[in-house]
Amino acid sequence: MAAAPIIEARGLGRRYGRRTVLQDVSFDVGPGEVFGVVGPDGAGKTTLLQMLAAILRPSTGDCRVLGEDVRRNPDRVQARVGYMSQGFSLYDRLTVAENIAFAADIRDVPRAVFAERKARLVKMAGLERFQDRHEGALSGGMRKKLALCANLIHEPPLLILDEPSLGVDPLSRRELWRILETAREEGRSIVFATSYMDEADASDRVLLLRQGRPLAMGTPAELRETARGHVYSVRTSDPAAMERQLTEATGVLSFQRRSGAEIRVQTLAAAPPSLATIDGATVVGVEPSMEDAFTVAAAETAPRDPPASELAAREGAEVLVSSEGVTRRFGDFIAVDNVSLTVNAGEVLGLLGPNGAGKTTLIRILCGLLAPSAGKALVAGFDPAAQSEQVRARIGYVSQRFSLFADMSARENLRFFGRAYGLPAKDLDARIAWASERAGLSDAADGLVKNLSGAVRQRLALACAIVHRPKVLFLDEPTSGVDPLSRFRFWRLISALAAEGVAVIVTTHYLEEATYCDRLGLMMDGRLIAHGPLQALQDELGLTEARVEDVFLGFIAREREAARAA
Amino acid sequence: MLGRLSGLLTKEFTQFLRDPVMLFIVVFFYTAELVMCTLALGFDVQNLKLGVIDHDRSETSRALVRELTSGGSFVLADEFTVMGQAQGRLQRGALDVVVEIPANFATRVAAGRRTSIGVVVDGSNGNVAARARAYVIELSARFAQERLGAASGRKRGVQPEVRVWYNPDLTNTRFMALSMLAQAGLILGVVLPAAAIVREKQAGTIEQLRVTPIRAHELFIAKVAPTISVCMGAIFPALLVVTLMGVPMRGDVPTLLLLTFIFLLSAVSIGVFVASVSSTLQQAMLLGFFGLFPLMFLSGTIAPIESMPPWLQIVSEASPLRHYVEIVSGLFLKGAGMGELWPHAVALLAISAPMFFGAWLLFRRQW
Amino acid sequence: MSPRRMLAFMRKEALEIIRDPITVGIALFMPLLMLFLFAYAISLDVENAPLVIVDQDKSAASRALSVQFLESGYFKLVAAPDDAVEAEHALMQGRARAALFIPEHFSRRLDRGETSPVQLIVDGTYASTAAIVSAYGRAILYAFPEGGLKLPVQPEVRVWYNPQLRSRDFIVPGLFAVILMAFPPLLTALAVAREKELGTIAQIYASPLTKTEFIAGKLAPYAVIAFLELLIVVGGGLFWFKIPMHGSLTLLIVLGLLYVICTVSIGLLISTLVRSQLAAMLVALIVTLMPSFLFSGFVYPIFTMPDLFQAYSAALPTPYFLDISRGIVLRGAGLKELWGNVAVLAGYTVAVFAFAAWRFKKRIA
């Protein structure tokens, strides 16, 4: 059965002035198909989706959406699709109900069916209790779900979603996809951009974009297949030495240290990495994942990052961060509830939890930005509440937004932070060189920060945070919205820093990243509900070989159960 | 610590110089606005259109008309025979003033008897009307005195010697240029630090600064110092512009700089207040521009203070701009020095110092 | 065109406005503040100019001259020093705007029938005040010793359309024109730019809402706000400040509505040209707010401006409505007198609206 395609794109491209941001994209999307667009930032994903929604005119090529030409009849396309842009696209001063009613009115939803549809969507999104709340007062996950409801109210045959789950916690992300799953079952086609590989893996077909060109397209299985023979698991008793070797080795695209002694390696050619034999090291070819496929398809050559330093003495490390019963209230709301934890030098602690679980608040307390309402913390030997100055001189902090000065160059930012941390002028250049190297910024961009890609900004933020050689590093969602390859790379930088004795506390929404952490802390409603190495957490739940997501959801379910029982 | 402070200052200046919006605002207020207003708003009321209804048609009545049109104040636009004709022209705005001379004018003047002439002034532009009325009264008084003298056959009476000091050609140009200069200082003094602070709030970089060892007072100084130096630096090119527009610089430059500094302290304090209540740049700018409006209004640059009601005159004492305008016009136009201007300098200091201190407290509390 | 879509859009816009304290504040509070400031504070006629008198004659005649100055209502005494230096000092400090010097032998010379010079020094800083002060000063001096009322030629000045020459009466109707140009375009421009900046406009683009519906939906709520502003300032002017109304209030309101649509369209036009709220604000401040205060003839008469600026002024809509508003309120003018201005304003509105509609594209680029 050859149903008429929903989208027919032929040689689609877009230029801004002389700059080509997208070219030669051709594909079809059939009814009920879920089509994922994956690529690093600046690859042209948003441009492509905007052209599909007929709100951006293509410079080259042809595109028919729902049988209409996007150039000639943009209004007919616009009227029938659902388009959800990146970020928050609804009116923050309108309530949930008003936003949905507005969406329905401007999209000609018959009044007769409106109430029923609205009730169904709102229920599915779990927003029933919040109908009278202003959109701006909802959590990020809820805002995204609401935006999706607003785009489903007219039951469009095609949904175009630009990174719908960016910055959304794993729990909300799951709910978001449940709604999308229902839409798909109703026969709607979905085109979406994402940086989550599991989402790409779950779609029918995936388009990989890089620098405005299509790199590969196919079903997830086909794409994974292209990486077969490029992916190996290396087990060794001396991971640090192995990492150094992998860094030097030619033909290695990328590698990731998993928890324990496993290192996953992607190679340029379909052959195992050529490694000097290390006693007890095993190299086994493994089933490629979507991440691997992306890495193999996207990487030309591996960026040369600094090897982990020789020093890897983790045993008997000093405790650099400790908190005892730390609590923070905002009025009646308890943002952080009696959290006790410790982090040793050279250790990476991953904090996981839904939006609003208190991760960011906890980090802000430990940084001395907020005073705890109760409890006591000790960071690098000082109390952040009372000795904030001593603490601040010894910590580095990368916030969710990579807070850099956008109108200054990378070097100017580094110089500024160097001086802000009171580095003597004569040491400044040496330190900047050191920090840039450690943060993988050797290609130190001289342009203004606002022109840098998200991944480079992320590494620059890291460099700025370590220019004074902090003992403790706080990273608040440092990988949000960054493509997998850059994320891998970032994590390797983090491990290298940890290997030098820095204590790292990091939050993330990418659950697969939890495997890079030495220990995990699961937070919910301000409380630390589980705490320990991934293996221990799996054991605690009685799960073996479980994915991080299952562990995460398992603990949340157990907590809810306990709450209900109480 | 000096290293941190100089790092902060370098950053602030770099960012300021790269911000097209702020640079545009600085250039606009110190050049375009200043030149435009000065050129356009000279407000020189000359050549008012005079309509005459001469029922007398005598030598004396013609002498009166000549007297009225002798200076540059009035030009004879038209003559009418009845008021009705003039009325329509007046309503359309084709005439500003109509003078009606009665039939027995010459005889009565010759006999030394009191004679009324009818004068109608178009009041729909109050500014123009006020001047027109004053000119008619002046010129007819002069005419009357001359006739009286002629009738009694001897020169007599008071010989008025009116001198206009500081601005002999009585155009608004000089004062306008100076008040625009002062206003530019106020607007920029408020908007620049407010923008510099709010921008960091908006971008989240203030959080990043708070986890460094930077102290509140270091950041505070780094936020206000560039504004003060930019505004004081801008005085020099602005002075050049002002000189080109024909305003003589008679005063003492060090005094000007000292008092400008004190004035800017109050302006940047307002900027810090504005920043503390705004969360986005455009909120800060809106608040900045509109919040300044009453201050500008009460500074005497838009309307002279002595014609305001007494309670507003008292309120105006609290506007730093008012004292600064007095100081600038004193220095530039009158050649006054500290000897004369000290009351305004003291008032300025009394306004600026507590404001600056308050701004600092507020800034530190929010840090 | 679907009325439902348009109404939904208007409703949304209205809700957003109502829930934004800054917009509401600027829209309703600023006009009132301006009305009060302008009405109370602007007076360009001169009363009670501060005067120092240096009377070196100290005769009956010199005292009589002083009295004539002070009783004229144009001057008030701030000091009567013996020393000319002190008078100059007062002028420099700005404590006095004029100084009267009556020399020795003043009365003796008058008695002998000689002319007696009297010096009046006027501070020229405020040119407008200075011109009037010197004219009145001269008039008083010419009339001495008879005094103004005894002069043989007695100008009986009647000021038509504003008999008491109350500045307020001419400022407030002008303010009707200025305020409606100062705020509504700014708010409208900000509102569209806000949607662009937040990305909510993408939802609008990707929906059946047409261009006309969008423009009408954006325009109407802001036109309503602007119209409220008009009612507030007109109400405040007529009832609080008791500005005498010589013409038809209905005509003023109807033409005000036309003007309001015009100024809101200008805001819309600005918003089609810029991307960010900041840019929208700056353009609005420079293109609408500032010129409407300075170059519209509101305070500074247009005919005193150089030709270039007169042309600039003519390119703004404000001077036309300013004429209409002052014409109706002060002169009782009707359509017969005002049709020229009305025609220009109507043409202007149509042109701006058409240009904005043409510029607005339901596309990102």
Side-chain angles (χ1 to χ4, degrees):
Chain A
M1 183 202 82
I6 297 289
I7 297 176
E8 294 168 85
R10 297 288 174 272
L12 214 49
R14 171 74 202 189
R15 283 188 304 272
Y16 286 101
R18 288 212 312 252
R19 203 164 54 91
T20 302
V21 294
L22 194 72
Q23 54 186 321
D24 294 333
V25 179
S26 305
F27 61 91
D28 286 346
V29 174
E33 191 173 8
V34 176
F35 188 82
V37 181
V38 180
D41 64 47
K45 301 188 295 278
T46 299
T47 304
L48 175 62
L49 298 190
Q50 286 175 344
M51 290 195 295
L52 294 180
I55 59 177
L56 183 70
R57 179 180 280 272
S59 311
T60 54
D62 288 305
C63 185
R64 297 177 78 78
V65 175
L66 303 171
E68 302 286 353
D69 189 304
V70 296
R71 250 202 220 99
R72 240 170 304 149
N73 295 318
D75 43 336
R76 291 196 211 158
V77 178
Q78 290 162 358
R80 291 180 56 205
V81 299
Y83 172 75
M84 192 165 133
S85 52
Q86 221 174 48
F88 301 110
S89 52
L90 296 184
Y91 297 97
D92 55 353
R93 291 180 202 142
L94 265 54
T95 65
V96 169
E98 285 163 352
N99 262 303
I100 294 183
F102 172 67
D105 282 336
I106 63 164
R107 292 190 174 90
D108 303 323
V109 175
R111 282 187 212 277
V113 297
F114 170 67
E116 180 269 323
R117 272 192 210 171
K118 175 186 161 192
R120 189 164 48 82
L121 285 170
V122 164
K123 181 161 183 291
M124 200 153 49
L127 289 168
E128 293 131 303
R129 287 186 297 127
F130 305 106
Q131 295 222 33
D132 292 326
R133 198 180 284 188
H134 285 197
E135 195 260 358
L138 297 175
S139 75
M142 291 203 263
R143 291 173 83 173
K144 281 290 181 188
K145 284 186 279 181
L146 178 61
L148 192 54
C149 294
N151 273 300
L152 282 168
I153 194 83
H154 60 308
E155 307 203 321
L158 172 64
L159 265 176
I160 300 169
L161 312 169
D162 196 354
E163 307 223 17
S165 38
L166 185 63
V168 171
D169 69 74
L171 217 55
S172 306
R173 196 155 72 91
R174 210 172 228 221
E175 288 164 1
L176 201 66
W177 275 96
R178 228 176 23 230
I179 303 175
L180 285 173
E181 205 48 54
T182 318
R184 174 200 214 171
E185 279 159 17
E186 290 164 353
R188 293 176 221 303
S189 306
I190 299 170
V191 176
F192 72 104
T194 187
S195 58
Y196 285 91
M197 291 302 127
D198 56 341
E199 293 179 355
D201 218 358
S203 45
D204 296 323
R205 267 186 319 143
V206 178
L207 169 68
L208 291 186
L209 283 180
R210 186 187 158 90
Q211 292 176 346
R213 290 168 187 277
L215 212 58
M217 188 170 67
T219 64
E222 284 163 8
L223 290 178
R224 283 199 303 270
E225 203 51 41
T226 57
R228 183 170 297 283
H230 292 263
V231 188
Y232 296 89
S233 164
V234 179
R235 282 180 187 276
T236 169
S237 52
D238 186 357
M242 180 56 73
E243 283 189 347
R244 275 199 300 283
Q245 230 191 76
L246 285 167
T247 311
E248 302 297 320
T250 49
V252 171
L253 282 177
S254 180
F255 61 88
Q256 305 88 45
R257 167 99 165 261
R258 295 294 169 96
S259 58
E262 187 197 347
I263 300 175
R264 196 177 178 94
V265 183
Q266 294 87 22
T267 58
L268 185 59
S274 51
L275 297 168
T277 36
I278 293 176
D279 287 336
T282 55
V283 178
V284 184
V286 291
E287 192 67 23
S289 69
M290 201 63 199
E291 276 96 343
D292 299 322
F294 181 85
T295 306
V296 172
E300 282 146 9
T301 49
R304 294 284 142 196
D305 281 329
S309 122
E310 290 67 33
L311 177 155
R314 289 197 185 189
E315 59 277 356
E318 61 174 316
V319 174
L320 281 181
V321 180
S322 69
S323 80
E324 265 178 72
V326 166
T327 301
R328 172 72 202 200
R329 293 182 205 91
F330 295 104
D332 289 339
F333 176 69
I334 304 178
V336 171
D337 189 0
N338 200 12
V339 169
S340 303
L341 51 78
T342 60
V343 187
N344 296 337
E347 201 178 20
V348 180
L349 172 74
L351 285 178
L352 307 179
N355 291 338
K359 306 182 299 284
T360 299
T361 311
L362 177 62
I363 287 188
R364 290 166 59 94
I365 292 172
L366 294 176
C367 289
L369 288 174
L370 266 180
S373 313
K376 189 173 162 55
L378 217 54
V379 173
F382 297 95
D383 178 357
Q387 298 160 301
S388 115
E389 202 158 330
Q390 284 91 334
V391 169
R392 284 189 270 154
R394 288 167 179 77
I395 61 169
Y397 173 63
V398 176
S399 72
Q400 287 173 9
R401 296 195 276 172
F402 316 148
S403 305
L404 297 161
F405 299 101
D407 44 5
M408 306 207 298
S409 71
R411 190 165 180 79
E412 285 166 339
N413 267 284
L414 282 162
R415 283 192 78 84
F416 167 70
F417 280 104
R419 296 175 82 171
Y421 280 109
L423 297 183
K426 60 179 169 43
D427 299 349
L428 209 53
D429 287 326
R431 281 301 190 81
I432 288 173
W434 173 84
S436 309
E437 195 220 316
R438 277 288 170 273
L441 265 182
S442 38
D443 47 337
D446 268 332
L448 299 186
V449 166
K450 62 181 167 205
N451 301 326
L452 300 178
S453 76
V456 177
R457 266 197 236 192
Q458 171 206 41
R459 292 201 295 274
L460 176 59
L462 179 66
C464 289
I466 60 172
V467 70
H468 57 301
R469 286 180 173 268
K471 292 184 146 182
V472 183
L473 192 55
F474 294 95
L475 306 164
D476 197 1
E477 289 185 33
T479 50
S480 196
V482 176
D483 67 276
L485 193 61
S486 305
R487 287 209 301 265
F488 291 158
R489 210 175 151 204
F490 191 75
W491 275 98
R492 215 156 60 232
L493 299 167
I494 302 288
S495 328
L497 283 169
E500 289 178 33
V502 177
V504 182
I505 295 187
V506 56
T507 69
T508 181
H509 282 332
Y510 295 90
L511 291 178
E512 72 270 12
E513 294 183 350
T515 54
Y516 309 139
C517 301
D518 297 304
R519 276 188 303 135
L520 296 177
L522 259 52
M523 289 191 73
M524 193 180 143
D525 299 337
R527 280 170 301 126
L528 193 65
I529 58 172
H531 181 200
L534 180 58
Q535 192 60 47
L537 296 182
Q538 284 171 343
D539 295 346
E540 195 176 334
L541 285 177
L543 300 163
T544 48
E545 283 302 308
R547 294 188 308 151
V548 184
E549 190 171 353
D550 299 324
V551 175
F552 177 77
L553 295 170
F555 272 101
I556 286 180
R558 198 175 79 173
E559 200 59 27
R560 293 213 169 128
E561 207 59 48
R564 250 197 299 278
Chain B
M1 196 182 131
L2 281 174
R4 287 200 298 256
L5 188 57
S6 74
L8 273 169
L9 286 171
T10 314
K11 169 195 145 264
E12 290 297 331
F13 274 107
T14 312
Q15 289 193 299
F16 169 74
L17 292 174
R18 290 200 187 142
D19 187 338
V21 172
M22 291 305 136
L23 286 177
F24 170 78
I25 292 181
V26 170
V27 172
F28 179 79
F29 279 105
Y30 271 114
T31 57
E33 159 119 326
L34 196 148
V35 172
M36 266 168 77
C37 290
T38 309
L39 286 181
L41 309 181
F43 194 20
D44 192 7
V45 181
Q46 291 280 325
N47 303 327
L48 293 169
K49 292 180 285 288
L50 177 72
V52 174
I53 305 162
D54 188 351
H55 298 296
D56 195 43
R57 296 186 181 281
S58 62
E59 178 51 38
T60 317
S61 70
R62 277 191 288 275
L64 175 65
V65 173
R66 268 201 307 279
E67 183 77 52
L68 288 174
T69 53
S70 61
S73 306
F74 297 104
V75 284
L76 185 60
D78 218 337
E79 297 201 36
F80 306 95
T81 47
V82 286
M83 197 60 186
Q85 292 173 328
Q87 198 165 348
R89 303 280 301 272
L90 208 55
Q91 193 154 22
R92 266 185 286 136
L95 287 178
D96 297 299
V97 181
V98 176
V99 175
E100 188 170 21
I101 305 172
N104 51 3
F105 183 69
T107 357
R108 287 177 75 100
V109 169
R113 286 166 63 194
R114 281 191 56 211
T115 317
S116 292
I117 55 171
V119 179
V120 173
V121 176
D122 172 6
S124 51
N125 189 324
N127 270 328
V128 180
R131 288 233 206 166
R133 180 166 74 171
Y135 292 156
V136 171
I137 290 175
E138 177 203 336
L139 292 170
S140 46
R142 190 163 86 189
F143 176 79
Q145 195 202 34
E146 280 167 8
R147 288 286 140 174
L148 218 56
S152 58
R154 54 181 183 141
K155 276 192 90 171
R156 42 154 290 161
V158 179
Q159 181 61 47
E161 255 180 55
V162 176
R163 302 229 176 105
V164 177
W165 278 7
Y166 316 132
N167 183 15
D169 43 354
L170 266 186
T171 61
N172 215 18
T173 313
R174 299 168 180 213
F175 181 67
M176 188 51 87
L178 292 176
S179 36
M180 285 297 152
L181 182 67
Q183 278 187 13
L186 180 69
I187 292 177
L188 296 176
V190 172
V191 168
L192 296 184
I197 297 173
V198 169
R199 200 174 38 196
E200 299 231 16
K201 274 203 216 173
Q202 217 176 341
T205 46
I206 198 124
E207 193 97 296
Q208 198 70 43
L209 295 181
R210 287 175 62 200
V211 297
T212 69
I214 290 170
R215 310 275 292 274
H217 67 267
E218 292 166 347
L219 188 61
F220 184 72
I221 294 172
K223 287 295 175 195
V224 300
T227 305
I228 292 182
S229 49
V230 164
C231 288
M232 288 182 59
I235 291 269
F236 294 98
L239 279 187
L240 189 69
V241 174
V242 168
T243 311
L244 290 179
M245 317 220 55
V247 180
M249 178 61 202
R250 294 210 186 99
D252 181 34
V253 176
T255 312
L256 174 69
L257 288 181
L258 173 70
L259 294 175
T260 303
F261 177 75
I262 300 176
F263 167 65
L264 286 172
L265 287 186
S266 61
V268 297
S269 311
I270 301 175
V272 174
F273 293 141
V274 165
S276 67
V277 295
S278 339
S279 51
T280 63
L281 201 51
Q282 61 271 11
Q283 264 179 20
M285 304 264 275
L286 283 176
L287 264 176
F289 285 120
F290 293 125
L292 291 185
F293 193 80
L295 279 189
M296 288 197 217
F297 209 94
L298 295 177
S299 67
T301 53
I302 298 177
I305 299 202
E306 56 262 27
S307 14
M308 293 179 188
W311 61 273
L312 263 183
Q313 294 193 26
I314 294 168
V315 174
S316 77
E317 292 285 347
S319 164
L321 188 59
R322 180 201 162 158
H323 299 285
Y324 187 60
V325 167
E326 289 282 3
I327 287 168
V328 173
S329 58
L331 282 172
F332 280 76
L333 295 178
K334 305 179 185 173
M338 264 305 196
E340 290 81 22
L341 297 175
W342 65 267
H344 294 294
V346 168
L348 203 53
L349 195 62
I351 296 167
S352 296
M355 275 174 74
F356 194 68
F357 187 63
W360 155 239
L361 287 183
L362 190 68
F363 186 85
R364 198 180 57 181
R365 227 187 61 193
Q366 296 203 338
W367 172 250
Chain C
M1 178 142 139
S2 146
R4 173 171 172 216
R5 288 197 298 248
M6 200 166 75
L7 283 175
F9 193 70
M10 283 179 194
R11 196 178 109 84
K12 174 231 109 184
E13 204 61 37
L15 282 174
E16 278 201 293
I17 295 170
I18 291 167
R19 290 180 190 160
D20 177 15
I22 291 189
T23 307
V24 176
I26 291 179
L28 303 179
F29 175 70
M30 284 308 296
L32 269 183
L33 179 72
M34 295 215 168
L35 178 68
F36 276 75
L37 275 176
F38 273 102
Y40 275 122
I42 281 205
S43 167
L44 295 133
D45 195 11
V46 178
E47 288 162 36
N48 301 323
L51 174 75
V52 281
I53 298 177
V54 183
D55 182 356
Q56 287 170 334
D57 194 41
K58 299 196 192 304
S59 59
S62 69
R63 271 190 295 277
L65 180 60
S66 301
V67 167
Q68 286 204 357
F69 262 83
L70 300 179
E71 284 182 349
S72 66
Y74 303 126
F75 299 94
K76 73 167 186 220
L77 187 68
V78 286
D82 292 329
D83 191 353
V85 178
E86 209 172 312
E88 283 179 32
H89 198 74
L91 281 175
M92 274 209 180
Q93 285 188 330
R95 270 198 301 138
R97 293 291 175 215
L100 180 68
F101 292 93
I102 307 175
E104 274 183 279
H105 316 305
F106 169 73
S107 74
R108 197 151 19 116
R109 284 184 166 193
L110 276 183
D111 290 345
R112 280 200 227 128
E114 295 169 18
T115 50
S116 180
V118 170
Q119 208 176 38
L120 179 70
I121 294 175
V122 178
D123 175 354
T125 313
Y126 294 88
S128 175
T129 322
I132 296 172
V133 165
S134 26
Y136 286 139
R138 279 199 197 94
I140 294 169
L141 291 173
Y142 285 131
F144 191 77
E146 281 81 359
L149 290 174
K150 295 193 200 103
L151 270 187
V153 178
Q154 185 64 45
E156 276 184 6
V157 183
R158 279 163 299 158
V159 179
W160 276 8
Y161 316 129
N162 185 2
Q164 286 104 46
L165 205 53
R166 290 201 310 170
S167 298
R168 201 176 281 174
D169 290 356
F170 114 97
I171 284 292
V172 171
L175 214 51
F176 299 163
V178 169
I179 283 177
L180 294 181
M181 185 64 175
F183 301 107
L186 175 69
L187 295 175
T188 318
L190 275 179
V192 185
R194 190 180 128 89
E195 290 223 26
K196 284 192 190 174
E197 214 170 272
L198 294 183
T200 50
I201 199 124
Q203 290 303 296
I204 302 298
Y205 290 155
S207 80
L209 198 77
T210 64
K211 194 157 120 171
T212 330
E213 288 158 6
F214 179 87
I215 291 179
K218 267 288 175 204
L219 215 120
Y222 284 94
V224 168
I225 287 212
F227 192 62
L228 279 180
E229 284 180 359
L230 176 70
L231 294 184
I232 288 175
V233 288
V234 168
L238 297 187
F239 300 112
W240 181 268
F241 290 109
K242 308 257 188 299
I243 306 299
M245 176 72 179
H246 293 288
S248 150
L249 184 61
T250 322
L251 184 65
L252 180 66
I253 300 286
V254 169
L255 295 180
L257 196 56
L258 172 67
Y259 179 60
V260 154
I261 293 170
C262 178
T263 62
V264 173
S265 307
I266 292 176
L268 208 62
L269 176 61
I270 292 174
S271 69
T272 63
L273 301 172
V274 300
R275 277 164 196 275
S276 73
Q277 294 188 73
L278 198 59
M281 194 180 77
L282 284 180
V283 173
L285 284 176
I286 289 165
V287 174
T288 63
L289 192 128
M290 200 192 81
S292 71
F293 271 100
L294 297 175
F295 302 120
S296 64
F298 169 52
V299 177
Y300 306 98
I302 295 174
F303 73 90
T304 66
M305 297 177 192
D307 292 344
L308 183 67
F309 286 96
Q310 294 201 19
Y312 178 37
S313 171
L316 302 168
T318 317
Y320 304 101
F321 188 68
L322 197 101
D323 271 0
I324 292 177
S325 155
R326 281 193 182 145
I328 295 176
V329 176
L330 294 174
R331 300 197 295 260
L335 266 183
K336 191 158 65 70
E337 289 84 10
L338 300 172
W339 66 267
N341 283 317
V342 176
V344 172
L345 209 53
Y348 201 106
T349 309
V350 170
V352 169
F353 190 88
F355 188 48
W358 174 75
R359 273 286 317 182
F360 179 78
K361 300 266 183 334
K362 251 190 86 186
R363 273 170 184 263
I364 286 172

